[in-house]
């Protein structure tokens, strides 16, 4: 990583156990000709973060990432909050002023949505689709400690996301809200995502 604290650290959470997907690791499954995790990482790389990292539990997943990503390894089989904690700990360790967290199994998020999160100066923000709050999420350094305390167990950041005010929600088109949980979800790879035009999402 470059020297000096970054303004924005982008971290991809890619350490899940893929229990619902089956025997294979979903993050290495093919999505439009590439490993799913690589697609998600490339999207995060387009957001405009100063540094990029991924939390992984398998070296094969780390090897599938594009250039420019460092990795933080955690033991496999941990609860969802462990990945979230690892991202927060890295951000605090390197002195990042803010942290953008994205998921390795959401390949349809538009970079425009990520840039919209980063466009709210001095504030945190989270995406919201049809009333559901979900990552990616932007956190300010002053909120890292509270975020770590709120992220527990397999609920991950659910309690944290509930704390965001309406003015800190960025609308996410339903077609971009897809996360890959089941092997059958991969069939959606050839279907066009909805709402991925050139207009950035606005707070709502």
């Amino acid at each position: 990583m470059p020297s000096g604290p970054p303004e924005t650290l982008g971290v991809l959470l890619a350490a899940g156990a893929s229990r619902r997907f089956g025997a294979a690791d979903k993050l290495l499954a093919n999505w439009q000709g590439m490993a799913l995790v690589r697609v998600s990482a490339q999207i995060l790389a387009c957001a405009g973060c100063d540094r990029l990292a991924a939390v992984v539990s398998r070296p094969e997943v780390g090897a599938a990432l594009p250039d420019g990503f460092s990795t933080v390894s955690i033991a496999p089989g941990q609860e969802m909050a462990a990945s979230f904690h690892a991202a927060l700990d890295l951000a605090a360790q390197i002195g990042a002023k803010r942290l953008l967290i994205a998921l390795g199994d959401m390949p349809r998020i538009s970079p425009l949505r990520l840039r919209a999160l980063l466009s709210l100066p001095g504030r945190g923000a989270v995406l919201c689709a049809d009333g559901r709050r979900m990552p990616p999420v932007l956190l300010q350094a002053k909120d890292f400690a509270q975020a770590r305390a709120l992220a527990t167990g397999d609920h991950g950041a659910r309690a944290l996301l509930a704390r965001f005010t309406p003015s800190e929600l960025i609308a996410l088109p339903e077609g971009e809200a897809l996360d890959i949980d089941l092997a059958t979800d991969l069939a959606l790879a050839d279907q066009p995502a909805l709402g991925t035009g050139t207009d950035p999402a606005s707070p709502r």
Side-chain angles (χ1 to χ4, degrees):
M1 282 187 176
S3 60
E7 177 73 24
T8 306
L9 170 67
V11 177
L12 189 73
L13 303 189
S18 304
R19 294 185 183 92
R20 296 174 59 193
F21 190 80
D25 190 329
K26 69 179 179 181
L27 294 175
L28 298 176
N30 178 66
W31 179 271
Q32 297 184 346
M34 285 188 288
L36 176 64
V37 69
R38 187 177 183 88
V39 176
S40 299
Q42 288 181 341
I43 294 169
L44 178 58
C46 292
C49 299
D50 301 294
R51 299 195 200 177
L52 297 166
V55 179
V56 303
S57 60
R58 295 186 61 197
E60 297 89 344
V61 172
L65 296 169
D67 292 341
F69 278 79
S70 63
T71 57
V72 176
S73 295
I74 64 173
Q78 296 193 63
E79 295 176 321
M80 190 182 302
S83 294
F84 199 81
H85 289 172
L88 287 163
D89 291 346
L90 175 62
Q93 175 187 340
I94 66 175
K97 295 182 180 179
R98 56 184 186 171
L99 170 64
L100 177 62
I101 295 179
L103 303 185
D105 63 354
M106 296 186 72
R108 281 193 165 172
I109 297 288
S110 167
L112 294 175
R113 243 52 69 188
L114 302 183
R115 293 172 194 151
L117 287 172
L118 298 180
S119 70
L120 301 179
R123 299 164 62 187
V126 67
L127 295 179
C128 183
D130 195 25
R132 296 178 294 123
R133 301 177 182 199
M134 64 186 69
V137 59
L138 176 69
L139 299 170
Q140 299 292 325
K142 64 183 177 60
D143 299 319
F144 289 172
Q146 182 187 48
R148 200 181 195 285
L150 289 172
T152 59
D154 270 334
H155 293 303
R158 188 177 302 172
L160 168 66
L161 301 188
R163 296 289 186 97
F164 285 87
T165 66
S167 64
E168 296 169 332
L169 305 183
I170 300 294
L172 179 67
E174 190 65 31
E176 294 185 35
L178 173 71
D179 59 339
I180 305 299
D181 287 327
L182 307 173
T184 53
D185 292 334
L186 294 174
L188 298 172
D190 294 328
Q191 299 179 20
L194 303 176
T196 55
T198 58
D199 294 329
S202 58
R204 73 175 183 184

